[in-house]
Amino acid sequence: MSFFESLRQKAPFLDRIAENFTPAITRDEKFKLEYKLPADENILDDTNADLSFVSAFGKLKELQKVKNTNEQAMAYVYSGKLFLTPHYLLFRDSFDHSSCIMVVNLSAVKRVERATSTAYAFSLLVTLYSGSQIVIQFIGLRYRSEQFCAQMKLRLKDNVPNAKELPEFLASCYSEFLLRKNLLRIKDITVPPAGLGQLYKYPGNPTVAKEKAKLRLWFNYFKEHGANIGIVKNHEFQKLIRIGVPNRLRSEIWELCCGSIYLRQAHRGEYERILKDNEGKSSQAVEEIEKDLKRSLPEYSAYQKEEGIQRLRNVLTAYSWKNPDVGYCQAMNIVVAGLLIYMTEEQAFWCLSNICDIYVPGYYSKTMYGTLLDQKVFEAFVKEKMPVLWEHIVKYDIQMSVVSLPWFLSLFFTSMPLEYAFRIMDIFFLYGSKTLFQVSLAILKVNGDDLLEVEDDGMFIAILKNYFHTLSDSAHPDSSDIKYRQITKFQELLVTAFKEFNVITESIVAQERNRFQKSIFQDIETFVKRTQLRHMPKTFNLSQEQLSNIYDIFYQSIESHKISMGTGSSNMEFEIFIQFLSKFCDWSKPSETDNDPSFRKQKRGFLKRLFKKWDSSRIGELTLYDVVSGLDKLITQDLLESINFFFSLYDEDDDNELLREEVLQISEGLLFLTEPWKTGRYVDELTKKSIENGIAESIVKENGSAITVEQISLPSGVTVDEEKYKSEQTERYLEAASNFLQRSFEYAKPLELSEEINLIDLSDDEDTDSGTKQKNYEAMMANAALDPTHPKVLDLATFRMIILADETYELFFTSTFRNSIHVDEQVDPSEGKEKALRNMFDGIIADGKRVAEEVRRRVDSVATKGSIASSESNSQTLNGSSTTSGTSHISASKDDRMDDVDDFTTEHPNEQEELLSTSWIEMDSAPDPSTNQNRTLRAISAETSSDQKDLIEFETN
Amino acid sequence: MNSGITSIKLVLLGEAAVGKSSIVLRFVSNDFTENKEPTIGAAFLTQRVNIGEQTVKFEIWDTAGQERFASLAPMYYRNAQAALVVYDITKPQSFIKARHWVKELHEQASKGIIIALVGNKVDIVSSGGERKVAREEAEKLAEEEGLLFFETSAKTGENVNEVFLGIGEKIPLGRPDEQSGLQNGGVRITDDQRIDLASTGSGAVAASGCNC
């Protein structure tokens, strides 16, 4: 016990650990995420190695040419790890993981040979398409190195076909164009396609941004370290990005940093294909996109013209088709409009894809959970890093999200002048979503003193708005130092963001996201549920609480749908519908009978009809709305309505008449629905009544007529013969089923009046039939009444009459069926199968009051032997008395009816036998000790209060 | 706080692109822009008007219209004393959405919130376009739910000021302190609840039963 005690004491602490623990992702996932490789690039092998990269155009090469030597000794050598994936060779230095990152697409490898090595070491010389060379010196066991090489050889072979497509792909890279034009002096080289900015001007002033100088720096970098799909990224690469990428190169650097260049290469042509396949198609997303096209960076001239609008439309719709879970979210239009200033449609498409998947997951989802989560995380950071400001914000109840939410959701495009937003984008693509947090924190920090003065939302917003409009101004206009004076507010912002808030790392962001995720998801689920329930149809029979239960069961059933993330379809397919009903409908619960093919057919037949009936929009799927309105009708209190509904399931043409085939199906449906009672898995009111009578009987017998209700107690000797009641009930249901079929055909009307004469003939036929070979169900099917040449129909009125003529079926539609649908039951995921197979006696609401009343009635009426006798035959009498529209069949002797039952069994001989036997098997397998067939009742204590809910407690041994 | 000024917190709700932001822009700056960028999350503006002897300061929270932003709306209609539920009279779907908003406000927002139903873009009909939401239908909804009702054009300015004046007249003025208080059942905003969708919800859910 003390062990558990101490565990409990530790629990809060453990909770805290769990809170701060980032969910484990696999090494592969981490690897792909870090290097932004496509999802299928799992690590095939890795090894330690030393690597040096000698560019075809680098200084080293020139030196070599001059000296005419072949030594590599002068190249930088990095120690690190080499990874092989299906399409990439990736090297990472082990010094700081950013001094030398090389990502080479295997299709770019031209030749691999063993290097002339100085030592005994095992080295490879890899030559790329560009002529650049990589020297890999393997470290470690020789055979492991050999293994790696063998694996690499296989992969290289696989990638040979891709190499053919390489030139075309490279033609789309501006870096390649720069190198070829300036180094190889190729004249007739086509300029790679560019974004809208090339035609409509890039935002900002090119002279101020020192475009040309920056482009030169990048050219030199490519010369020395390779470019695009064969590049080595080092600290200089990061530095060049931080000072601002030149306009013409932005598209390539962005896609290189965010990894979309790999997607674009791997899925060449897919973008065009998606557009073509979905041309002219409409969807909610397409409509929403259309509304916003002219509202996306409308002040940028390209988006006032059809050309810009069309590009935007293409990218947004293509993405909505590619990722229907996201579809389209406002703010994506602004982000894509921004991307398209620099990128081609295809580049923007893949870039958007990685933004949504890797950079800001969940931001644009249907529930926008990522947005909500990051706002929460941001507030936590503000609270932690700037507690004074945070207190002020809370004190004046300032809704900070009004300003901060657009920073994250539209990546600063709507907040800052575009040229600055793009500078932040450069860094965002390089370092990830932490950049958004760092910059946002810095914005508040820089304006901290002013913000502490504000007293309402309006002032808060105004200060920041003004700040964004003056980002190009000097941060220190009054300084005497000219150098100091030249520092702009934007530069100051970047310094603050990346110096002061460099403590905000990607892993801290991930940790914080994880901390708040659960509560955000819960909030969303609560919100979604509330909203959906609010929009449910008006229900007449279902209460709010029951609606809430149905909602829970509905979405618990559709496992593919994540409410909090808004992914997956929220509609219900037929197979799930079956599982859904089985969670709370007695007749749909899984049972042994499901193994019987003919029963399964009945079950699916009925459920299919129900499904079709509920499917209001005829899409082969049910919405929650459908299910709620359907269930509301199904549990109606109105007997006639209930019968009518059941009839309408089979009356597909709505003419209030069922044809022969439909009559057979409706009887199958009834057979299926009543199965749980037929097999004795549950007891209906009639059986319950007769059991109660039985108990009362015993009490009276035991105590004589002197007993008063207050004294009721049951001696230990009294037993209830469970089996007897069960078989009685089974018999009753079988009988009802057989009567139903018989009467249906007996009372069916001829389809046309002219055939009235036939009716007599037919009924004659039927009589002969029933006289001779009634035992054969087959014969009944072939019966003249069913003869297709003499079609007869069963109309609604007749159907109702037939149902009402049978006590069991009448009761079934009055209450048994309704009560078998447990919309009150709370969802309990732990509910096992055993519980579903309830014991017959557990189903009895052993209503002490009623037993007591029964006893009193007997006592009061001076319990004579006569009354005992009458109660003995109670169920039989009831059976007969309520059959108002009495027929010859009703008054037929019990033996006759048994014959009818036999008729049934000959039709489904195995079925019936199995049904009967299974019910006992179930009984035996039930874990409850009370399943003993003969149950000893020890004592009954009844209360005289009028409260119906008071129960007699059955104490079992 | 200036004793002569009453603040009214007002929120705009409605489907995307029905003209919520344009109505605000017309009211606040008497201006109109054809292709306005969609509101991301929400926007906040203020405007002062004189109603009788009183100066009323409208604190206007303009929200994003797209369906998926709906989960953010509770953050902005929290404590609001008035709401404009806007639809586009040429878009029937936007009227259905307006019904939903009215329902949500009645369930979740402050008790006694003044709601105005606003059918925008009447200029389209005036210039020969087709009206798709009948005035009578909207009037009926307004009657049933106890809403103010206006048809406006943010483009021409028609009826826009009247909406706000109508709201100003409905709200008991002169006691600013009592209005800005805890009208929605005293939901106190703690640090942890700031981005909490359930903040209005959790309190109001329990009370929703007695709303009818």
Side-chain angles (χ1 to χ4, degrees), chain B residues 73-149:
Chain B
M75 287 198 283
Y76 304 114
Y77 65 63
R78 172 175 68 93
N79 289 337
Q81 291 144 279
L84 303 192
V85 175
V86 187
Y87 66 94
D88 175 347
I89 61 162
T90 67
K91 300 256 163 61
Q93 183 58 37
S94 71
F95 187 67
I96 295 174
K97 191 71 208 154
R99 280 181 190 276
H100 289 173
W101 278 120
V102 171
K103 221 170 162 187
E104 174 164 350
L105 285 173
H106 277 321
E107 266 178 43
Q108 305 293 337
S110 315
K111 290 270 153 54
I113 186 170
I114 308 289
I115 304 174
L117 181 67
V118 180
N120 192 30
K121 305 197 186 176
V122 284
D123 56 282
I124 297 183
V125 177
S126 319
S127 58
E130 198 190 342
R131 169 195 280 273
K132 298 262 177 65
V133 182
R135 198 188 161 94
E136 294 71 32
E137 196 182 349
E139 277 170 345
K140 194 168 153 258
L141 175 67
E143 175 116 1
E144 282 166 7
E145 302 282 344
L147 321 171
L148 299 172
F149 172 63

Side-chain angles (χ1 to χ4, degrees), chain B residues 160-206:
Chain B
V160 170
N161 286 345
E162 283 76 0
V163 176
F164 290 88
L165 292 177
I167 293 233
E169 280 162 12
K170 275 277 244 178
I171 286 178
L173 303 175
R175 290 169 300 154
D177 292 336
E178 285 176 37
Q179 283 149 24
S180 55
L182 306 165
Q183 291 203 347
N184 66 338
V187 177
R188 191 62 214 127
I189 307 308
T190 64
D191 296 0
D192 296 339
Q193 282 181 320
R194 300 197 59 81
I195 298 293
D196 197 345
L197 311 176
S199 65
T200 51
S202 56
V205 157

Side-chain angles (χ1 to χ4, degrees), chain A residues 203-204 241 244-245 247 250 254 297 299 334-335 337-339 341-342 355 406-408 410-429 435-436 439 443 468-469 471-472 490 493-494 498, chain B residues 37:
Chain A
I241 289 174
V245 180
N247 291 324
R250 256 196 178 118
W254 284 356
L297 303 185
E299 67 280 6
I334 292 162
V335 171
L339 297 180
I341 294 178
Y342 298 96
I355 288 176
W407 296 347
F408 288 80
S410 57
L411 311 177
F412 294 108
F413 285 157
T414 46
S415 312
M416 286 184 194
L418 281 179
E419 50 176 315
Y420 297 119
F422 289 126
R423 286 286 304 279
I424 291 173
M425 274 306 92
D426 294 341
I427 298 161
F428 169 74
F429 283 123
T435 309
L436 300 178
V439 173
I443 291 168
F468 287 133
H469 283 159
L471 276 176
S472 54
F490 182 71
L493 177 68
L494 290 191
F498 305 122
Chain B
E37 275 183 10

Side-chain angles (χ1 to χ4, degrees), chain A residues 86-357:
Chain A
H87 301 94
Y88 292 90
L89 190 63
L90 191 142
F91 177 81
R92 178 195 71 200
D93 69 279
S94 48
F95 174 62
D96 60 1
H97 291 196
S98 53
S99 298
C100 175
I101 306 290
M102 181 196 74
V103 188
V104 173
N105 188 291
L106 289 178
S107 66
V109 173
K110 213 162 94 184
R111 196 169 61 236
V112 179
E113 59 207 307
R114 291 207 176 205
T116 45
S117 180
T118 46
Y120 298 102
F122 178 30
S123 304
L124 283 186
L125 179 65
V126 179
T127 311
L128 301 184
Y129 71 92
S130 56
S132 301
Q133 290 183 322
I134 306 157
V135 183
I136 303 165
Q137 185 169 321
F138 290 92
I139 295 167
L141 293 169
R142 180 69 175 235
Y143 88 97
R144 282 286 297 119
S145 312
E146 296 279 6
Q147 256 178 7
F148 188 95
C149 289
Q151 182 72 262
M152 190 162 106
K153 204 165 143 192
L154 279 175
R155 291 300 143 192
L156 281 167
K157 265 186 195 155
D158 288 350
N159 275 284
V160 170
N162 299 338
K164 274 189 220 133
E165 298 180 0
L166 192 64
E168 206 187 320
F169 178 77
L170 289 172
S172 69
C173 299
Y174 192 71
S175 60
E176 209 59 31
F177 169 81
L178 272 185
L179 292 174
R180 288 184 192 182
K181 190 178 174 197
N182 294 298
L183 288 171
L184 305 175
R185 308 278 169 207
I186 301 172
K187 286 273 155 9
D188 56 342
I189 181 170
T190 37
V191 186
L196 290 162
Q198 201 64 16
L199 283 164
Y200 296 90
K201 272 182 60 198
Y202 295 105
N205 184 334
T207 352
V208 174
K210 304 190 182 79
E211 278 294 301
K212 211 161 183 146
K214 285 178 183 170
L215 203 56
R216 183 87 210 176
L217 286 171
W218 276 102
F219 171 70
N220 288 337
Y221 186 89
F222 294 145
K223 221 167 79 177
E224 205 62 42
H225 304 285
N228 49 69
I229 54 164
I231 195 171
V232 172
K233 299 181 208 168
N234 57 21
H235 289 292
E236 194 189 344
F237 179 82
Q238 298 187 12
K239 200 171 152 193
L240 287 181
I241 289 174
R242 285 201 301 267
I243 61 167
V245 180
N247 291 324
R248 193 60 180 86
L249 258 178
R250 256 196 178 118
S251 60
E252 192 178 322
I253 300 301
W254 284 356
E255 45 171 10
L256 200 54
C257 287
C258 78
S260 67
I261 195 170
Y262 308 130
L263 286 178
R264 184 163 69 88
Q265 193 193 5
H267 303 277
R268 280 167 46 76
E270 187 174 322
Y271 170 71
E272 278 80 12
R273 201 160 49 246
I274 292 173
L275 277 182
K276 199 159 162 276
D277 290 350
N278 296 290
E279 207 181 335
K281 272 208 250 170
S282 184
S283 72
Q284 196 195 350
V286 169
E287 278 168 34
E288 287 175 339
I289 290 166
E290 212 56 40
K291 272 187 196 168
D292 287 348
L293 286 174
K294 288 189 172 164
R295 315 206 285 158
S296 318
L297 303 185
E299 67 280 6
Y300 184 71
S301 58
Y303 297 118
Q304 293 152 11
K305 298 198 171 65
E306 189 47 34
E307 186 183 10
I309 296 284
Q310 186 57 37
R311 288 193 193 187
L312 192 58
R313 177 184 291 125
N314 286 349
V315 174
L316 287 171
T317 50
Y319 188 75
S320 80
W321 295 117
K322 177 182 157 64
N323 190 350
D325 275 347
V326 166
Y328 167 72
C329 176
Q330 287 188 330
M332 280 165 82
N333 61 326
I334 292 162
V335 171
V336 173
L339 297 180
L340 280 173
I341 294 178
Y342 298 96
M343 296 179 134
T344 64
E345 286 180 34
E346 192 187 16
Q347 284 175 322
F349 172 78
W350 291 111
C351 187
L352 175 66
S353 178
N354 265 1
I355 288 176
C356 293
D357 291 347

Side-chain angles (χ1 to χ4, degrees), chain A residues 529-547:
Chain A
K529 182 171 176 179
R530 205 168 63 207
T531 308
Q532 288 211 14
L533 290 182
R534 189 184 301 129
H535 298 156
M536 280 300 113
K538 187 172 165 45
T539 53
F540 301 94
N541 304 303
L542 291 167
S543 67
Q544 278 302 310
E545 201 174 316
Q546 288 169 331
L547 278 182

Side-chain angles (χ1 to χ4, degrees), chain A residues 461-510:
Chain A
I461 294 165
I463 285 171
L464 293 173
K465 206 169 182 177
N466 178 57
Y467 171 70
F468 287 133
H469 283 159
T470 55
L471 276 176
S472 54
D473 294 358
S474 168
H476 313 280
D478 305 326
S479 170
S480 54
D481 185 344
I482 180 149
K483 267 206 151 163
Y484 208 51
R485 218 159 48 222
Q486 274 174 345
I487 296 171
T488 63
K489 284 186 180 177
F490 182 71
Q491 284 167 325
E492 179 197 41
L493 177 68
L494 290 191
V495 170
T496 312
F498 305 122
K499 283 264 163 26
E500 195 156 337
F501 293 109
N502 67 351
V503 286
I504 311 283
T505 60
E506 280 291 285
S507 73
I508 283 181
V509 170

